[in-house]
Structure formats: C-alpha cells, structure tokens
Amino acid sequence: MAAPDVSRAGEVRRRRLIAAAFLLPALVLLGALVVHPIGYSLYRSFFDRSGDTFVGGDNYVEILRDDTIRTALRNTALWVVLAPTTATALGLIFAVLTERVRWGTAFKLLVFMPMAISMLAAGIIFRLVYDQDPHRGVANAVWVGVHDTFAESSAFPKARPGRDSPLVAVAGGAFETRDPVRAGTPVPVPLVGVAPDALPEGTRTARAPAAEPGKVTGTVWQDFTRGGGGRTNTVDPTESALAGMRIEAVKDGRVVERTTARSDGTFTLSAKADGARLRLPASNFREAYAGVAWLGPTLVTPAVIGAYVWMWAGFAMVLIGAGLASVPRELLEAARVDGANEWQVFRRITVPLLAPVLAVVLVTLVINVMKIFDLVFVIAPGAVQDDANVLALQLYRTSFGTDADQGLGSAIAVLLLVLVVPVMLYNIRRMRREARR
C-alpha cells in the first residue's frame, strides 16, 4: 500500500511544480510591477524630499495641513459620489429604453463610441466644448441661444450720450431727456459709443425727424460721422440709425407710452407723451450674454465629471444591457398581467434582478474614478487646476517637476491605495459570493 501512496504524492508534487513553473513569470511580473512599487512607495513616504532624512509620519500630517491636497481629497470624494452613480444610472436608462426601439443597436453603438477615444483626446474635445466664447464652445453656444430666446440682449451695449447731449444718465443704467418734450416739436436723441462695425446688419442711414401736429416725434441715431466732420446733436447725411431702440414716455415716474425706433431711427408717440420726459430704458444697453463659465472655479469639477460620464455611460449601458438580456421575460410579463405598470415592473423586478450587474459596474467605475487624472489635467485650465484638483493629479504635481517632493508624493500614493483597497476587497468578496451560488 505504501508504493501507491508514494507514487500519488510524487504526482501531486510534479503537478504543483508544473503549476508553479507556469505561474512564475506572472508572479515575477506582479512582484516587479505591483508589489515592489507599493513597498517602495510606502518606504519612501517616511523620508523627506531628498530621501536622505527619515521624517516618520510628517508627510502624512502634511497631507492634512495642505489646502491644495485637502481640495484634492474633497474633489475626489465628489467624483466617487457623482461620476459612477450618474454613469450607471444613465447606462441603466439607456439599456432599458433601447430594448423598446427598433434602432436600439445603432443608438447603443453611438453611446458606446466614446469608449474608443482616449482620455487625452476626450479632454481636448471637451476643452473646446466648454470654451467661454459662444462662437467656439458648443455648450455656451447652446446656452446663450436658449437664454437669448427668452431674454434678448441689446444690439447697442456700448451706446451712451455724447458731448452736449440732451440726454442725462438716470438710475439703473437708463438715459432720459433733460427737459420735457412737447407735441409738434421733433426730439433729437443722439448717442455715441457704438463702433460702426458693431452696428447690426442692415443698419440704414438715419432720417431727421419731421414735426407732426399733436404727436411727439424724434430720431435715435449714432451721432458720429466716419472721417470726422458733421454737427453735434444734428442728423447728418451719413450717420446711422439705431433701429430697434426702445423709448418710453415718463410722467411723474410712471410710463405713459412706449415705442420702438424704426429702421431709419425715427419714432412717433401720441399726445399722451406731451409734457413727459423720454427715457431710453437700461434694457437697450444690456451687455450681450456671454454664457456660463463652465471652466471657472465653481463649475470646473462638475464640467469634467460630465466629460467622464459622456465617455463611460456607454460602458455601463453595454454591461447592463448584457445583464438585462438574461432577465427572465416570464417574470416581467407575469407582473404586467397582475396589473403592475411599467414603472413598478422596472423598480420592483428589473432593478432587483440587475443588482449584481449594477454592483459590478458601480464598483468598477468607483475604482476608475479614484485614479482619474488625464481628463482633469487636460480640461481644467492652469488658473483653476487647483479648484479641479484630484488625488491622482496632485500625486503627479507633487512628485514631478522642478519643485518635486517624492516623499510627500509617495504618501499621497499610499493614501490613494488605502482608499482603493476597501473597494477592491468588497469586489473580491462579492465575486466569491457569486461564484458560490
């Protein structure tokens, strides 16, 4: 009986040696590329900038003291909360909705396509998308278009009264005639300050006002002649009308009538305006709306998160869609037969059955955003990079460059590892539970 046992033991050893021989290259690479860097980073984090002086936990204390690193920690927490949940939620919505449309496959392809773009290229794309100039940045072009639909900006934001003008400035940015106007007496309303090239397309030459009995008439025009010359407060032959200028007749602080200048700058008010002062309301001089500062200190982090969601929502959609394909249709149909509406079917059956897949997507994205670097580095301008800072970017900025502190950088790397490890352990435990099922 001893001989078979010895033979069996030898076979086991031989198989173990063969397994070890196959695993050895992977273990060597794992040790060289993962274990050794982690160990050295931990070791280096206890030394100063030069690496010669042991400083103990001073680098870790500095992490808590440094305002820039604290901002990076706060932004990383914001990323972990917002980015994975938003991308997963959108992926779930897209996966469920595309099952019900004939062109669902084409839609999935379009949504997944950003995954083929590198983070660097996506960063460059969104740096342009978020440009402040509405003529370059798509986001502000859309935003300004919607804004101007409901609150149109003025074509004459720089207009103002000139020398010896009959107009004076009043509260709120408006201008008003010095004296009350009279019916039958034309009223000149000269303005300056609008560059000839800034006048709206189709601007016509101004026409001098004509007197009309029982009415208040006048002209609003650009009191400036190209090349010089002309008379002040008089409509000269080549001077331009300020068409569309809004005019109000004000008596005792109350607006009694309103009108708008015609294409040649002339306007007419009824006898109700007799004895009133003419006012050009501040809305005539409102600056053009420039949009939102997407890459300003306040919105830069949400803006970069939006770029990340654009890239990774397709990843979430594909994984969730694969899980959705395995959901038993009998359960969904049974719920509908029992009287459940689509929202109840989605909330009480579809989402619980997809919980394992949603957990995989969510955990994967959490680990991914913990080390986000390239999008923030490329999209955030240098002036607001401190406001958009995250731990991975701070690790790079601290560890490299002319003022590098590799001791502090190693401490940040260890902190980042400590934050990622619990998520990885949870993922491993979840996978083991799934395997036992």
Side-chain angles (χ1 to χ4, degrees):
M1 295 294 293
D5 291 341
V6 172
S7 176
R8 191 177 300 110
E11 180 66 19
V12 170
R13 281 197 300 272
R14 189 175 68 83
R15 289 182 178 179
R16 287 178 177 174
L17 286 173
I18 293 172
F22 278 104
L23 288 173
L24 185 60
L27 292 173
V28 170
L29 287 174
L30 185 66
L33 300 179
V34 178
V35 178
H36 175 264
I38 290 175
Y40 183 75
S41 295
L42 181 61
Y43 166 80
R44 186 67 176 80
S45 68
F46 294 111
F47 287 81
D48 67 350
R49 182 189 301 267
S50 65
D52 299 326
T53 305
F54 181 80
V55 295
D58 288 358
N59 287 323
Y60 294 96
V61 174
E62 181 64 20
I63 289 176
L64 300 177
R65 289 178 179 170
D66 191 293
D67 290 338
T68 303
I69 300 177
R70 286 209 303 269
T71 301
L73 274 168
R74 189 164 54 248
N75 285 341
T76 300
L78 191 64
W79 269 88
V80 169
V81 171
L82 289 182
T85 53
T86 305
T88 304
L90 283 176
L92 176 62
I93 293 170
F94 291 157
V96 171
L97 293 182
T98 50
E99 275 206 329
R100 298 174 172 272
V101 293
R102 298 174 60 184
W103 40 266
T105 303
F107 181 81
K108 286 181 180 179
L109 181 64
L110 288 175
V111 175
F112 188 75
M113 198 174 292
M115 286 294 299
I117 303 174
S118 69
M119 285 280 196
L120 175 63
I124 293 171
I125 291 170
F126 274 87
R127 181 70 178 267
L128 294 173
V129 167
Y130 291 134
D131 195 287
Q132 180 73 39
D133 185 355
H135 298 289
R136 295 179 59 193
V138 174
N140 261 343
V142 173
W143 192 268
V144 169
V146 172
H147 174 275
D148 288 350
T149 300
F150 299 98
E152 186 178 357
S153 59
S154 168
F156 316 108
K158 304 294 184 183
R160 66 185 188 280
R163 175 168 48 90
D164 301 326
S165 174
L167 299 173
V168 293
V170 294
F175 300 106
E176 198 173 88
T177 54
R178 297 176 185 273
D179 304 311
V181 297
R182 295 297 174 189
T185 304
V187 183
V189 186
L191 293 169
V192 297
V194 182
D197 295 338
L199 288 168
E201 290 185 18
T203 295
R204 293 174 52 182
T205 302
R207 181 167 64 87
E212 292 187 34
K215 295 182 179 180
V216 174
T217 59
T219 299
V220 186
W221 84 100
Q222 167 89 329
D223 193 15
F224 171 79
T225 303
R226 282 194 185 221
R231 292 172 296 168
T232 304
N233 300 332
T234 301
V235 180
D236 293 305
T238 61
E239 293 177 342
S240 300
L242 298 182
M245 187 73 71
R246 290 177 282 275
I247 301 111
E248 298 175 344
V250 181
K251 282 184 180 179
D252 301 322
R254 186 170 58 88
V255 176
V256 296
E257 192 173 0
R258 293 183 174 88
T259 191
T260 302
R262 304 182 188 94
S263 59
D264 58 4
T266 59
F267 62 89
T268 304
L269 294 164
S270 68
K272 290 190 293 185
D274 185 39
R277 295 178 190 270
L278 298 189
R279 182 169 66 193
L280 305 181
S283 59
N284 287 311
F285 314 106
R286 187 186 296 120
E287 291 284 349
Y289 182 63
V292 177
W294 299 104
L295 298 182
T298 305
L299 292 178
V300 63
T301 294
V304 181
I305 290 175
Y308 177 89
V309 170
W310 175 78
M311 289 192 68
W312 286 87
F315 166 81
M317 178 194 65
V318 169
L319 287 189
I320 295 169
L324 194 60
S326 64
V327 172
R329 303 300 165 184
E330 298 81 9
L331 293 177
L332 304 181
E333 293 303 325
R336 293 188 182 103
V337 169
D338 288 342
N341 57 37
E342 291 301 322
W343 169 245
Q344 290 171 326
V345 171
F346 173 75
R347 185 166 60 93
R348 296 183 179 276
I349 298 176
T350 305
V351 172
L353 289 175
L354 288 175
V357 179
L358 295 176
V360 169
V361 174
L362 197 60
V363 170
T364 302
L365 293 181
V366 166
I367 294 173
N368 187 269
V369 300
M370 285 276 198
K371 52 187 182 180
I372 193 71
F373 163 78
D374 6 27
L375 274 182
V376 182
F377 184 72
V378 176
I379 295 177
V384 297
Q385 221 167 64
D386 283 346
D387 300 287
N389 203 9
V390 289
L391 279 177
L393 178 58
Q394 184 60 33
L395 167 61
Y396 168 78
R397 296 171 67 186
T398 303
S399 302
F400 303 98
T402 55
D403 194 32
D405 185 346
Q406 293 189 354
L408 181 58
S410 297
I412 296 173
V414 172
L415 173 62
L416 197 53
L417 176 65
V418 169
L419 293 175
V420 170
V421 163
V423 184
M424 295 177 63
L425 291 177
Y426 166 79
N427 203 26
I428 292 170
R429 290 181 60 188
R430 186 196 55 76
M431 291 172 65
R432 285 178 177 172
R433 285 199 305 268
E434 289 295 323
R436 284 197 295 266
R437 290 179 186 177

